[in-house]
Every structure is written in C-alpha cells, then in structure tokens.
C-alpha cells in the first residue's frame, strides 16, 4: 500500500534458474481470468521494466506469444514456472508483469488484489484484501 517504504524484494522460479529483484512497493496485485492467466494461476504485479532486474541462467527463458502478439509470456525452461510477461514490438508502454507467486508471501505482506475480467471486458470487477 502506498504508505510502506520501498524495499528490495527477491523471488525466483522453483529451480532458481530465473531470479528477480524489484525495489518498489506493491500497491496492488492483479488476478486475471483471461484464457491464459487463469490456466497459469498467476498473480501479477505491474512494474516499469527499469524497476525489475531479471537474472536468468543461459537458455533458461522461454517465451510464448499468441493472439495479437503484443505480449510475450515468459517461463523457466527448466522447471516450467511462468515468471513474467513483457511487451513485444509495437507496444508503447514499458510496463511488464511479474508473477508475484514466485515471491515469499511474507515479503509481499498485506496487499489489495484486484480481479480483472481479462476474458471479456478488460475491466476490474472486484477486489480482495488486503490479504
């Protein structure tokens, strides 16, 4: 929530081949129900790309893009964890999504989780939290 000071957060995929460092606050997270996010079971935190350090072992990152191909969903090629998404060419924003389920819950603390109807309206339809 906006009142907490920025901290350094570290997370990783299950095998540790993909690691993240984010120095920020987690004002809110997003649970999306689009056809891919609900299958992945992700909990997205949105950040500007310069806020996120991704450290991956050589050859560990695999990408998947579908539909309009405006985003690439990235996973660890070793353990299969979905780690983040990044914008593809033609997308104006530098915003990326990081799967915060890869971080220890104690690091994130109580935070609001917004529910996104990514399947139909692209509107936020509810919220939980702080949890």
């Amino acid at each position: 929530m906006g009142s907490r000071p920025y901290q350094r957060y570290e997370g990783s995929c299950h095998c540790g081949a993909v690691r993240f460092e984010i120095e920020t606050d987690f004002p809110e997270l997003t649970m999306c129900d689009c056809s891919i996010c609900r299958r992945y079971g992700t909990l997205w935190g949105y950040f500007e790309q310069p806020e996120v350090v991704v450290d991956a072992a050589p050859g560990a990152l695999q990408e998947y893009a579908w539909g309009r191909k405006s985003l690439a969903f990235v996973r660890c090629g070793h353990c299969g964890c979905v780690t983040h998404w990044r914008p593809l060419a033609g997308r104006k924003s530098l915003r990326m999504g990081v799967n915060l389920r890869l971080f220890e819950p104690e690091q994130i603390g109580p935070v609001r989780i917004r529910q996104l109807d990514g399947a139909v309206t692209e509107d936020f339809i509810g919220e939980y939290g702080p949890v």
Side-chain angles (χ1 to χ4, degrees):
M1 321 252 320
S3 62
R4 293 187 336 196
Y6 283 9
Q7 296 184 54
R8 179 175 304 222
Y9 299 93
E10 297 179 2
S12 71
C13 64
H14 191 258
C15 73
V18 182
R19 297 183 173 279
F20 291 93
E21 286 185 19
I22 302 171
E23 191 166 327
T24 187
D25 192 6
F26 297 125
E28 61 194 18
L29 305 179
T30 299
M31 183 173 50
C32 178
D33 72 353
C34 78
S35 63
I36 197 162
C37 291
R38 70 179 167 80
R39 286 176 170 89
Y40 285 159
T42 53
L43 191 56
W44 297 116
Y46 300 123
F47 307 96
E48 295 298 311
Q49 288 182 30
E51 295 177 308
V52 180
V53 175
V54 179
D55 182 21
L61 299 178
Q62 295 181 343
E63 296 187 352
Y64 173 69
W66 63 284
R68 294 177 283 173
K69 299 199 185 317
S70 63
L71 301 176
F73 288 89
V74 184
R75 71 179 190 100
C76 173
H78 301 291
C79 67
C81 287
V82 174
T83 57
H84 62 290
W85 61 258
R86 66 175 191 84
L88 291 175
R91 192 165 171 127
K92 294 179 176 110
S93 173
L94 290 179
R95 189 172 83 150
M96 67 182 290
V98 175
N99 182 6
L100 291 181
R101 293 200 189 272
L102 304 180
F103 291 70
E104 294 300 321
E106 310 77 59
Q107 287 187 82
I108 297 168
V111 65
R112 179 173 71 150
I113 298 175
R114 299 191 316 163
Q115 186 176 4
L116 176 65
D117 178 13
V120 180
T121 66
E122 295 287 324
D123 293 331
F124 287 98
I125 58 173
E127 69 179 58
Y128 309 93
V131 294

